[in-house]
Amino acid sequence: MSAQSDGQLQLLFEVDERVGEQLAPSWNVAPTQTVRIIVEETAEDGTPTRQLRNARWGLLPVWAKDRKMGSRMINARSETVTEKPAFRAAATKRRCVVPADGYYEWQQGERGKVPYYLHAEDASTLAFAGLYELWPDPEIAEDDPAKWVWTCTILTRPASDALGHVHDRTPVILPYEMVGDWLDKSTRDKSEVATLIDAIPEPNLVPRQIGRAVGSPRNNHPGLIEAAG
DNA sequence: CCAGACGTTGTT
DNA sequence: GTCTGG
DNA sequence: CCAGACGTTGTT
DNA sequence: GTCTGG
């Protein structure tokens, strides 16, 4: 979920330029929906520019025939991301940060699935390590700027013991001081990227049991993250 | 050579 | 696009 | 990820 | 059980 304003994110991630329209805050972001990402573009003279952009959550590799494939590419395992055909090109060339206030996980309980909201102890914004792709929509004309669809995915890693009781995987979360390294376009070697991933520390998150309303994508309001149970 | 896959999560 | 399997 | 739909024939 | 929509 992400309810922070563009301005707050731009300040926090030292963004130079907002590209695209502002998105409504969301407390229930579903796969295939549009989220914000932070990327670095390199000018011809080598000057990096940090941009805040919109991207569809669910990576579409260049060879995807339609948008449906993206709904199954919402996560990428960090252990194999530099090797898998669907992700390796993006892993070396198109890394991004996906900002979020927190995220949800469901645990199977005796009476159905119990949702949890996971967030930083100090409620600071999380910087998910992500990848992005530009997918040429075959149904849109070459000369239409909308032809190039920005898509993204979020890396995952095994959960630490502290969170393993909720879920055995967690997103890869960058400490703020590693955001620059992650976005750095000069890191283009897969072994370098793997080393970078290995250096990312385990996230320290707090799980909060919340109400079941979050399960339905129709519900989207701040009350979704309130404690329940 | 061509055809077909390319992914993760969770559950069993 | 690129790799694997046949 | 979860929630919700998934189908045809025949009858009104 | 499996797919689609959000």
Side-chain angles (χ1 to χ4, degrees):
Chain A
M1 62 139 294
S2 181
Q4 288 247 290
S5 71
D6 284 359
Q8 287 171 308
L9 292 180
Q10 290 186 55
L11 212 58
L12 180 59
F13 292 106
E14 299 165 5
V15 169
D16 300 301
E17 188 184 3
R18 175 59 161 119
V19 181
E21 292 184 1
Q22 192 176 324
L23 301 178
S26 179
W27 291 268
N28 207 348
V29 179
T32 74
Q33 288 182 345
T34 303
V35 298
R36 291 173 292 186
I37 62 173
I38 294 132
V39 300
E40 209 154 81
E41 294 270 290
T42 312
E44 280 186 27
D45 66 357
T47 313
T49 302
R50 217 171 264 189
Q51 299 178 334
L52 182 65
R53 285 182 168 271
N54 299 329
R56 190 186 144 96
W57 181 27
L59 196 91
L60 288 166
V62 284
W63 39 260
K65 288 178 190 69
D66 54 46
R67 293 176 185 235
K68 287 177 191 166
M69 175 166 280
S71 60
R72 274 171 276 166
M73 304 277 189
I74 59 173
N75 293 120
R77 292 174 76 93
S78 58
E79 304 95 312
T80 54
V81 75
T82 58
E83 301 292 340
K84 296 286 185 183
F87 300 126
R88 60 190 170 196
T92 51
K93 297 185 181 124
R94 287 175 292 278
R95 293 180 298 278
C96 67
V97 166
V98 183
D101 302 340
Y103 63 98
Y104 304 112
E105 277 175 352
W106 284 261
Q107 199 174 36
Q108 188 63 48
E110 285 182 13
R111 286 181 295 276
K113 290 178 180 175
V114 179
Y116 290 81
Y117 173 60
L118 290 99
H119 59 94
E121 196 157 23
D122 61 1
S124 58
T125 299
L126 305 178
F128 292 155
L131 307 175
Y132 68 95
E133 278 288 356
L134 281 159
W135 180 69
D137 188 336
E139 296 186 350
I140 298 180
E142 296 283 343
D143 56 358
D144 187 335
K147 182 172 185 70
W148 294 93
V149 182
W150 288 68
T151 68
C152 65
T153 190
I154 294 167
L155 270 60
T156 63
R157 66 187 297 167
S160 63
D161 292 344
L163 290 176
H165 71 283
V166 181
H167 194 108
D168 64 348
R169 310 273 311 166
T170 56
V172 175
I173 297 173
L174 296 159
Y176 295 146
E177 64 270 20
M178 289 186 78
V179 165
D181 288 338
W182 183 250
L183 297 180
D184 188 349
K185 288 276 186 186
S186 66
T187 303
R188 283 170 288 193
D189 191 84
K190 75 173 180 184
S191 65
E192 275 183 289
V193 174
T195 302
L196 184 49
I197 289 171
D198 288 343
I200 301 170
E202 288 183 340
N204 198 10
L205 301 171
V206 180
R208 173 198 301 166
Q209 192 180 336
I210 56 170
R212 298 200 183 202
V214 71
S216 174
R218 287 184 313 236
N219 298 324
N220 196 335
H221 54 83
L224 295 180
I225 65 171
E226 283 170 16

